[in-house]
Amino acid sequence: MKFGRPGEVIVSVNGAIIRKLIIVFVLGLVMLFVMVGMLTSLKPQYRISSSSLGEVTDELSISSFVHLFSYENHYFKQALSPDIPSPGYFNELFQFATRVNLDDPRSLLGNELPGFYHFDSEIIVAEEGLDYTTIPYESAPPLEVLMAEREASIQNLELDKPAGEKGPVQPPALSTNGKNVVFIYHSHSSESYLPHLKGVTDPDAAYHSKVNVTMVGKKLAEELTERGIGSQVNVEDMTQKLKQKGWNFSKSYAASREVVQSALASNRDLQYLFDLHRDANRREATTVAINGKDYAKIAFVIGGENADYERNEKLAKDLHSLINKKYPGLSRGVFTKRGKGTNGKFNQDLSQKAILFEFGGVDNSFEELNRTAEAVADIFSEYYWEAEKVNGTVESKQ
């Protein structure tokens, strides 16, 4: 065996190491470009996004994050109560992987039984006879239902009352003087009503791109305007907005949040935010006869995961009381929703005067809904002008 001089051996070894490093570096770059190409070529719904990361972090508790931070900076431990035990990270990882919380057996049932998580809702105020089996709830439609363009019946779409029933419109005694103070929008804009969908009898298929709850929003805005309360209504198709962003139905409130934030940024006069929906309950739970005429019932839904939700809840309770005093049974009640299976905020953290309205159910007609819209505008205008009088912005007329 022949050995060269020591210096030659060292140079040879260093050269081999450098070549290996260059090869590893080049392969690393190639793999990086391949991964970037794969990620950017994926369909939008499969890409990693801020919303995807948000879904992951939602599975972890706040105390878990604080505990993790405390490993690097013990100062964070001061924010934790001594009564809070150290998190079980095995449980956290197991929950993330399986959606089952070992500390809450309801999570197993909730993932298997449709509607199980509705029982996390809280009935704050309700009319007599209402219970947890008939609380307002949302049913996420299959994608093919959202994308399908159904034929809608335009008969009996009475946006106004028959001639002579309503009478001539009188100028409002009070006015917001051209300022829009109410913003009406629809997070689930395609929610529709079976009486106006030809050939559709399945309540889970009660969706349409045009004949839907946005028509109720426009009617409510018209009635409020007639009473001097400037109202702005957004009828944007949220289904198309979700499709453009590659989001699923559960992201509806994230999509509508952009709409609300844009409206608030462009109009500082807006005070009240009304998100109008259609309940999935059937006619017996969503209809009431008042003075011989059928009305579509309403319900107030408050997001319990908003830190300041009590203010919105008070507004809903006040309106519920006023409505049922003049229109007995029209309001089904006030409900707070939080926890798994629901949004929990409904964008109500953007205002202390925000409400989600459920207008009727799948079996109600626009004739019934329009009566309700007029009744709600009637009561809200009384509430609004009384509040303005208390605030000293309008003078009481004796």
Side-chain angles (χ1 to χ4, degrees):
M1 182 177 292
K2 184 177 179 182
F3 292 96
R5 288 177 294 179
E8 294 177 352
V9 175
I10 295 173
V11 171
S12 176
V13 172
N14 289 340
I17 294 175
I18 292 173
R19 283 196 296 273
K20 288 182 179 179
L21 290 175
I22 292 175
I23 292 173
V24 170
F25 178 73
V26 172
L27 289 175
L29 284 178
V30 172
M31 292 180 65
L32 179 63
F33 278 109
V34 170
M35 290 180 63
V36 171
M38 291 176 61
L39 290 174
T40 55
S41 62
L42 290 173
K43 293 182 178 180
Q45 57 265 38
Y46 301 123
R47 295 178 188 170
I48 297 175
S49 63
S50 59
S51 60
S52 303
L53 295 176
E55 290 179 355
V56 173
T57 56
D58 283 344
E59 299 296 330
L60 298 175
S61 64
I62 296 177
S63 61
S64 298
F65 279 113
V66 176
H67 272 288
L68 284 174
F69 294 149
S70 68
Y71 289 139
E72 294 296 326
N73 187 338
H74 295 295
Y75 179 79
F76 283 100
K77 284 190 175 180
Q78 299 180 20
L80 294 171
S81 170
D83 299 331
I84 299 178
S86 298
Y89 289 108
F90 173 78
N91 186 15
E92 299 273 3
L93 292 173
F94 186 80
Q95 181 177 346
F96 172 71
T98 64
R99 302 286 181 176
V100 174
N101 184 353
L102 297 177
D103 295 329
D104 185 2
R106 297 180 312 150
S107 60
L108 177 61
L109 297 174
N111 292 334
E112 300 300 327
L113 299 178
F116 184 83
Y117 282 117
H118 295 311
F119 289 88
D120 281 338
S121 301
E122 181 181 357
I123 299 177
I124 305 300
V125 182
E127 65 173 295
E128 185 178 356
L130 187 140
D131 56 31
Y132 280 97
T133 64
T134 55
I135 62 175
Y137 71 96
E138 300 168 350
S139 58
L143 182 61
E144 59 271 17
V145 171
L146 283 176
M147 294 296 103
E149 187 59 43
R150 291 179 168 77
E151 183 179 4
S153 171
I154 60 173
Q155 62 183 0
N156 296 326
L157 297 186
E158 300 180 32
L159 296 183
D160 293 299
K161 289 191 173 182
E165 183 177 335
K166 190 172 183 178
V169 177
Q170 299 294 331
L174 299 170
S175 172
T176 57
N177 298 317
K179 297 179 180 179
N180 290 330
V181 297
V182 175
F183 182 67
I184 300 171
Y185 67 105
H186 316 81
S187 293
H188 296 158
S189 62
S190 59
E191 290 178 332
S192 189
Y193 302 87
L194 289 177
H196 303 284
L197 299 178
K198 286 185 176 179
V200 181
T201 57
D202 181 2
D204 292 334
Y207 293 85
H208 196 274
S209 62
K210 295 182 177 62
V211 180
N212 52 43
V213 70
T214 62
M215 301 176 69
V216 183
K218 287 190 282 189
K219 176 64 175 177
L220 178 59
E222 291 172 5
E223 294 292 338
L224 289 172
T225 300
E226 284 187 13
R227 292 161 175 78
I229 301 176
S231 303
Q232 177 182 343
V233 58
N234 180 280
V235 295
E236 187 173 348
D237 189 336
M238 289 299 164
T239 300
Q240 286 301 316
K241 191 177 182 70
L242 291 172
K243 184 178 179 181
Q244 292 168 3
K245 290 180 173 291
W247 291 352
N248 57 32
F249 189 75
S250 65
K251 296 294 183 184
S252 297
Y253 292 101
S256 64
R257 188 180 186 85
E258 296 178 354
V259 171
V260 176
Q261 288 176 323
S262 176
L264 291 173
S266 60
N267 183 3
R268 295 181 178 273
D269 294 322
L270 291 176
Q271 301 175 34
Y272 294 86
L273 306 179
F274 294 163
D275 187 4
L276 270 57
H277 290 249
R278 181 266 296 145
D279 194 359
N281 273 296
R282 304 309 299 262
R283 184 174 182 83
E284 59 273 11
T286 64
T287 312
V288 62
I290 302 175
N291 296 328
K293 296 180 180 178
D294 285 342
Y295 286 70
K297 291 185 179 182
I298 63 168
F300 300 91
V301 178
I302 303 299
E305 294 177 25
N306 167 24
D308 203 23
Y309 79 94
E310 291 92 346
R311 293 180 180 270
N312 293 327
E313 183 182 289
K314 183 182 184 306
L315 171 62
K317 290 165 67 176
D318 290 344
L319 292 177
H320 164 82
S321 178
L322 292 171
I323 286 173
N324 277 0
K325 185 176 181 180
K326 190 170 184 178
Y327 300 90
L330 184 60
S331 173
R332 298 171 61 202
V334 180
F335 308 86
T336 299
K337 291 192 174 185
R338 59 170 64 86
K340 191 75 173 179
T342 188
N343 179 269
K345 286 187 178 178
F346 309 118
N347 298 323
Q348 293 172 1
D349 56 320
L350 298 177
S351 171
Q352 296 178 354
K353 298 177 180 179
I355 290 178
L356 188 157
F357 283 90
E358 296 281 357
F359 262 81
V362 290
D363 298 309
N364 288 112
S365 69
F366 280 106
E367 182 179 3
E368 296 161 345
L369 290 157
N370 289 341
R371 290 193 184 109
T372 301
E374 184 177 356
V376 171
D378 177 31
I379 295 301
F380 179 76
S381 63
E382 293 180 3
Y383 172 88
Y384 178 82
W385 292 121
E386 182 63 27
E388 293 297 292
K389 183 173 67 175
V390 171
N391 294 333
T393 56
V394 296
E395 293 183 1
S396 175
K397 292 191 176 182
Q398 303 294 333

